[in-house]
Amino acid sequence: MNDSPGWATPGSAPSDGQETGIPRPSPPVDGSGPTGQWSPAQPPPGQWSPPSAPGNGPGAPPPAPGWGGMPQGPGWGRPPMAAKPGVIPLRPLGLGEILDGAVSTMRANWRPVLGISLAVSVVTEILALLLQRYLLPDATSVDANAVGAEALRQASDSARSELIATAPATLLAMIATLITTSVLTVVISRSVLGRTVTLSEAWAEARPRLLPLLGLTLLLSLMSVAIMAVALLPGFLLGGNSGLALLFLGFIGACAVILWLMIRFTLAAPALMLERQSVLTSLRRSAKLVKGSWWRTFGILALTYLLVLVVTLIIAIPFGIIAIMADSNGLNEFLNSSSSDYGWPFLIIMGIGEVIVSTLTYPFTAGVMALLYVDQRIRREALDLDLAKAAGVPGYDTPRS
């Protein structure tokens, strides 16, 4: 147990249906802990009664709310509050606490968080803009009146052209996500312990894990491509109307399988970063942690990306309007779907909007992923005990049995 991003050795506590019986720390006896004043001498069970208020004898009226007519304190009758050395309380988290923890991390560590996300977003957007302007081919037009085999051929050509056009931007976005996720996961791991970290310190921690994280991302991408190819191949081979129907069914089935796998392996990146595991071990760790919580994990991620979409629209729509107004030919190019020859004013203004969106959304999504991982380890492996001990919370230094 140390204060490094890995926190505790994985597998040091049960993970598969063995949550019951996990030891919890004994409350401190000196009153120095977060649970308040506890006395080492407690009354025998069943022999303690609330104190009586003056005049509360036989036949006296019932006391006022609270024991002995005294007002009830806000913590009476409730278990002690969980320790909160950082951005989250050290106990199983609710949806709001996960989202709030991600935002609180951005506020508490805004220099490294916004520094890395802004730098990566600016470089990525500049490269994407230059590629779009000078290197990428125009999209292949599709004749709306084409039918049968000709329609299928044009749709195939259009899909191939779109894939070629979007592949560089997708690759750049993947690299940007890798860098920001690696650094921000380190920042979040420190924020959970109530500690701050500089950008240089976070980069030094994350840099050795970039190649394994790249391998994990490529493996998941190739897995998705292989599943989609296998599902669509029969439809392409069959052709005709039957082939189109089979393509549609194969596409729906492949999307369902890919979604199930991506949720199952969604905690692999935090496990790889914080536990310093290999790629395959991280995939197994994610599957182990998500087991039995697939729908909950899916719901939290769906809400997260819905919020990201809302933020994107709030920022992108005004910038799009300004870009169209600033470019003399912007409206014509925007309405003419067969042309993509936008002017520099349009591209630059839209690029600024994209940078703002990326700078805000990269840390938020990375924070939710990391806190989901922390929450699942708290639920399944009692990680809260190790975190409290690493944070130096009094009363949590009792060795785990």
Side-chain angles (χ1 to χ4, degrees):
M1 186 62 237
N2 51 47
D3 60 356
S4 65
W7 293 317
T9 304
S12 59
S15 291
D16 294 317
Q18 303 179 29
E19 291 85 353
T20 57
I22 292 175
R24 296 287 168 179
S26 301
V29 298
D30 57 358
S32 60
T35 54
Q37 299 289 340
W38 291 72
S39 172
Q42 295 292 334
Q47 298 183 14
W48 186 55
S49 58
S52 299
N56 279 9
W67 290 347
M70 296 183 291
Q72 189 89 345
W76 291 28
R78 295 205 298 262
M81 295 183 63
K84 188 179 179 182
V87 294
I88 58 169
L90 300 184
R91 56 168 170 73
L93 303 174
L95 170 62
E97 290 168 330
I98 292 176
L99 300 179
D100 179 70
V103 175
S104 298
T105 301
M106 296 172 62
R107 290 200 306 261
N109 300 273
W110 64 271
R111 283 186 177 87
V113 168
L114 296 184
I116 186 63
S117 58
L118 178 61
V120 171
S121 299
V122 169
V123 173
T124 303
E125 191 60 32
I126 290 175
L127 292 176
L129 189 151
L130 294 176
L131 287 173
Q132 179 181 355
R133 184 67 176 175
Y134 293 114
L135 297 181
L136 298 181
D138 292 336
T140 302
S141 59
V142 177
D143 185 4
N145 298 321
V147 295
E150 179 63 19
L152 184 62
R153 184 190 64 80
Q154 290 188 12
S156 176
D157 292 341
S158 177
R160 187 185 308 111
S161 174
E162 188 69 20
L163 180 62
I164 295 174
T166 58
T170 302
L171 180 61
L172 289 173
M174 183 183 72
I175 296 174
T177 303
L178 280 174
I179 297 174
T180 54
T181 298
S182 61
V183 175
L184 295 175
T185 301
V186 174
V187 175
I188 292 161
S189 70
R190 300 294 180 87
S191 298
V192 170
L193 301 176
R195 299 170 184 170
T196 58
V197 60
T198 64
L199 180 56
S200 59
E201 292 172 343
W203 174 248
E205 291 276 3
R207 188 174 60 245
R209 308 303 299 161
L210 282 178
L211 285 180
L213 190 60
L214 176 61
L216 173 65
T217 305
L218 292 176
L219 179 60
L220 292 176
S221 301
L222 291 175
M223 187 185 305
S224 301
V225 171
I227 293 172
M228 186 64 69
V230 170
L232 297 181
L233 183 60
F236 278 116
L237 294 177
L238 184 60
N241 293 332
S242 300
L244 288 175
L246 195 57
L247 277 175
F248 177 76
L249 293 177
F251 177 76
I252 296 299
C255 288
V257 174
I258 292 172
L259 175 63
W260 182 80
L261 287 175
M262 292 304 104
I263 299 299
R264 182 177 174 85
F265 296 138
T266 194
L267 302 183
L272 183 144
M273 289 297 304
L274 298 177
E275 297 179 12
R276 288 167 166 70
Q277 298 291 339
S278 65
V279 171
L280 295 180
T281 303
S282 299
L283 291 173
R284 288 194 294 267
R285 285 286 291 155
S286 178
K288 191 176 185 180
L289 292 171
V290 174
K291 182 179 179 181
S293 300
W294 191 96
W295 283 107
R296 179 176 180 272
T297 304
F298 169 76
I300 293 175
L301 292 179
L303 179 59
T304 299
Y305 287 112
L306 178 62
L307 294 175
V308 168
L309 176 61
V310 171
V311 172
T312 301
L313 292 177
I314 291 174
I315 297 175
I317 290 177
F319 274 90
I321 295 174
I322 296 172
I324 292 174
M325 294 174 62
D327 194 337
S328 58
N329 296 323
L331 183 60
N332 292 332
E333 301 295 347
F334 182 78
L335 295 177
N336 185 7
S337 59
S338 63
S339 175
S340 59
D341 189 21
Y342 297 108
W344 277 111
F346 182 91
L347 294 175
I348 291 174
I349 295 174
M350 290 298 295
I352 293 174
E354 290 289 337
V355 167
I356 296 174
V357 169
S358 301
T359 301
L360 295 177
T361 57
Y362 279 152
F364 181 67
T365 53
V368 170
M369 294 287 189
L371 293 178
L372 260 175
Y373 163 83
V374 174
D375 175 57
Q376 285 302 113
R377 284 198 63 184
I378 288 176
R379 292 172 182 271
R380 305 184 69 88
E381 300 178 355
L383 182 65
D384 51 329
L385 306 186
D386 295 311
L387 292 176
K389 185 176 179 181
V393 177
Y396 284 81
D397 54 355
T398 303
R400 289 165 60 174
S401 57

